[in-house]
Amino acid sequence: MTVRTMVFAAQIEYLRSHGYRIVPLREVVAYIRGVGPPPPPHSVVITADDGHQSVYADMFPLVQRYHIPVTLFIYPSAISRASYALTWDELRIMHDSGLVDIQSHTYWHPNFKIEKKRLAPQAYEKFVAMQLEQSRAKLDQELGIKVDMLAWPFGIYDEDLIRSAVAAGYIAAFTMVRAPAGPSDNVMALPRYLVTDQDTGKTLGRLLTTDSR
């Protein structure tokens, strides 16, 4: 959730010095979908959600220094509007580096459980479709990119949401379930580890070797 810049740098150094390879998320997704080769052994993917300013100010310089691929999951409603958020120009700079893939985190990061209770069924369906479709459309419009992957806000998903995401054109989606991702997983509910400031050294090593596949 929160990782200081120096800790993120130390985490990258740990990966490099212990034989891990940081690979693009899209390569892993292609493998899980059965349309690409398996990634190298000990592959790791780095993602960051939401689109806070610190991604550009603190994370991106390290991405450039180490020349590593990362994926950002963005909710566009905040971009160039909220004081904490990235700007469209910053997203363009990162995307143009060739190191940063930008994907969807819905349009404004709703809690689908709350909205499902609050709205009538038909209104909820329309709300979900808007969140999924408008995010892709805005990112495509502003950045000219192919958006087809989604991180579920708060890790909340169910079978109806998965069907809606597939209908909206997404080929993969990501949860907050702490587990390594592999070909036996549902490609619309792939697990990810939430990495924090405490995940350094041996602690990071234990996380990396837990049921690795």
Side-chain angles (χ1 to χ4, degrees), residues 82-151:
S83 60
Y84 64 81
L86 295 164
T87 66
W88 289 114
D89 283 342
E90 288 165 345
L91 282 173
R92 290 185 192 101
I93 290 168
M94 288 190 284
H95 173 260
D96 290 347
S97 73
L99 296 170
V100 179
D101 188 19
I102 297 164
Q103 297 295 322
S104 171
H105 202 23
T106 69
Y107 190 63
W108 69 54
H109 201 290
N111 184 315
F112 283 126
K113 285 184 179 178
I114 291 174
E115 298 300 332
K116 191 172 186 177
K117 292 177 182 176
R118 185 178 70 85
L119 297 169
Q122 191 172 9
Y124 174 69
E125 272 188 43
K126 287 184 178 179
F127 175 79
V128 169
M130 180 278 287
Q131 287 290 333
L132 297 172
E133 294 166 8
Q134 200 163 323
S135 176
R136 289 189 68 209
K138 184 66 173 177
L139 290 167
D140 286 347
Q141 172 194 333
E142 293 286 350
L143 304 173
I145 59 176
K146 180 182 181 182
V147 176
D148 57 9
M149 295 189 287
L150 169 73

Side-chain angles (χ1 to χ4, degrees), residues 81 114 197 201 207:
R81 295 179 67 185
I114 291 174
D197 209 49
L207 183 152

Side-chain angles (χ1 to χ4, degrees), residues 164-185:
S164 295
V166 171
Y170 293 97
I171 63 169
F174 300 84
T175 71
M176 294 173 66
V177 175
R178 291 176 63 85
S184 62
D185 291 307

Side-chain angles (χ1 to χ4, degrees), residues 1-187:
M1 188 68 72
T2 298
V3 179
R4 287 173 294 165
T5 310
M6 60 182 284
V7 172
F8 182 55
Q11 290 167 338
I12 297 171
E13 290 284 2
Y14 184 95
L15 293 172
R16 288 160 62 100
S17 64
H18 286 76
Y20 291 91
R21 186 176 300 185
I22 301 169
V23 300
L25 178 62
R26 193 166 290 281
E27 289 184 11
V28 175
V29 168
Y31 168 60
I32 291 172
R33 294 180 68 227
V35 296
H42 307 299
S43 289
V44 173
V45 168
I46 296 177
T47 67
D49 292 2
D50 299 341
H52 288 222
Q53 262 294 321
S54 57
V55 169
Y56 183 77
D58 302 308
M59 183 183 186
F60 184 52
L62 291 175
V63 168
Q64 292 178 300
R65 182 194 306 173
Y66 290 103
H67 202 75
I68 56 173
V70 301
T71 296
L72 306 181
F73 288 105
I74 300 297
Y75 57 95
S77 66
I79 303 302
S80 287
R81 295 179 67 185
S83 60
Y84 64 81
L86 295 164
T87 66
W88 289 114
D89 283 342
E90 288 165 345
L91 282 173
R92 290 185 192 101
I93 290 168
M94 288 190 284
H95 173 260
D96 290 347
S97 73
L99 296 170
V100 179
D101 188 19
I102 297 164
Q103 297 295 322
S104 171
H105 202 23
T106 69
Y107 190 63
W108 69 54
H109 201 290
N111 184 315
F112 283 126
K113 285 184 179 178
I114 291 174
E115 298 300 332
K116 191 172 186 177
K117 292 177 182 176
R118 185 178 70 85
L119 297 169
Q122 191 172 9
Y124 174 69
E125 272 188 43
K126 287 184 178 179
F127 175 79
V128 169
M130 180 278 287
Q131 287 290 333
L132 297 172
E133 294 166 8
Q134 200 163 323
S135 176
R136 289 189 68 209
K138 184 66 173 177
L139 290 167
D140 286 347
Q141 172 194 333
E142 293 286 350
L143 304 173
I145 59 176
K146 180 182 181 182
V147 176
D148 57 9
M149 295 189 287
L150 169 73
W152 295 111
F154 306 106
I156 294 168
Y157 71 97
D158 57 30
E159 290 304 316
D160 288 336
L161 286 168
I162 286 176
R163 280 191 287 272
S164 295
V166 171
Y170 293 97
I171 63 169
F174 300 84
T175 71
M176 294 173 66
V177 175
R178 291 176 63 85
S184 62
D185 291 307
N186 182 344
V187 75

